[in-house]
Amino acid sequence: MMPKLHGFLHRETCSPLYRRPMKHAGRILLAWAGLLALAAAQLPAAVIKAGFAERDITPEIGMREAHAVARHVFKAFRDPCKVRAAVFDDGQRKVALIGLDTLIVPRAVVLEARAAIEKACGIPGSAVMIAASHSHSSGPVGIVMPGQFDQAPPDIQRLAYEESSLADPKYLRLLIREIIEGARLADASRQPASLGFSFGREDQVSFNRRQRMKNGRSWSHAGAMNPDIVDYAGPIDPQVGVLGAWSRNGDLLGVLVNFACHATTNPGAISANWPGATERTIQGALQTSAPMVFLAGASGDVTQVDNLSPYVRPNPESWLRLVGGRVGAEAVKVLLSMARASE
């Protein structure tokens, strides 16, 4: 059964133009799991359990690109899109944190998945967080929902269904099913774990896309080396938030990573975008297959594009590896140096 998707409205929230870095974004997204890590410092390691799982949500060739109009469909595959789920249990309560390789996640999808997870796993819906990576090279989840503008005038229907990002009902059903299954498998795989969390810094791959101009106005993407640019009109958040979970034998069970940057290093094919490269960097460096749950930070005005750089921009493939690789490398450094709660 399809969720009730009518009336859903997505707004991309832009970060306020504070003069200080947005240090709180990572802390907010990791606080939930961080509280469990703090509890683990005062309780025996066996009390804390963690489980991770992943499921495939790669769109089909021929489906619309996530951010595209009707005429832009996927013609090639680069790397898979996934649901990655983490469940933490302190013996008294359980929480689930679920990351999606999608552009957005419609509220109706979240509500249906939460209800099913609560029924299947006993995790309260209020303790289930579902977050999208904002990958622009992922499957069709919106912004416009099927049937949302059926009662509108023909011109509005054309704009909504042909000239906007439109969700695919078949893909939404796949997404809901795999979110539920990912949470169920993560819950079933819980085992005694030691946890650690900390922060690193990566300030070479993200830039504010708004520039302050000589005329006093602020423009988005004013153009590379535009002589009328005075400076960036807002901050970035260079903080890389990392939470790791290890088994009693010291094997890495899974990782949570938080970073603020639009996932717009589009390689021209189906892809998890740069967060997928972050996971591959972590897995390669640590010789593990442990999944990485990605939680996007406050990236409303933060992208990989530096309009004040005099250098030629990388091609999309190189850009994807650059952003994902550097964020992943920083996460590896944090994982290697962090204290674990049971030690």
Side-chain angles (χ1 to χ4, degrees), residues 138-277:
S138 58
V141 293
I143 300 170
V144 176
M145 296 295 111
Q148 185 175 349
F149 291 94
D150 283 357
Q151 305 305 315
D155 285 350
I156 300 300
Q157 290 190 33
R158 180 183 60 79
L159 287 173
Y161 299 146
E162 298 179 24
E163 301 296 329
S164 303
S165 301
L166 178 66
D168 185 314
K170 178 181 178 181
Y171 189 73
L172 289 177
R173 286 193 292 269
L174 169 70
L175 180 63
I176 293 169
R177 183 174 71 247
E178 298 305 339
I179 291 172
I180 298 166
E181 183 64 4
R184 188 191 68 79
L185 291 173
D187 183 59
S189 71
R190 283 173 296 132
Q191 59 180 284
S194 58
L195 306 180
F197 70 102
S198 188
F199 301 93
R201 182 180 178 87
E202 170 48 59
D203 60 4
Q204 300 298 306
V205 296
S206 61
F207 307 89
N208 198 288
R209 67 184 175 186
R210 293 182 61 78
Q211 289 81 52
R212 190 169 68 253
M213 312 303 291
K214 290 180 180 178
N215 62 10
R217 297 180 179 180
S218 293
W219 291 357
S220 289
H221 292 306
M225 295 301 294
N226 185 329
D228 290 330
I229 296 175
V230 176
D231 200 354
Y232 301 107
I236 63 169
D237 182 1
Q239 192 176 74
V240 181
V242 183
L243 185 148
W246 290 264
S247 72
R248 281 178 167 174
N249 295 327
D251 297 325
L252 186 64
L253 299 175
V255 182
L256 277 69
V257 172
N258 164 257
F259 188 68
C261 182
H262 270 249
T264 49
T265 56
N266 303 337
I270 295 168
S271 173
N273 221 278
W274 68 256

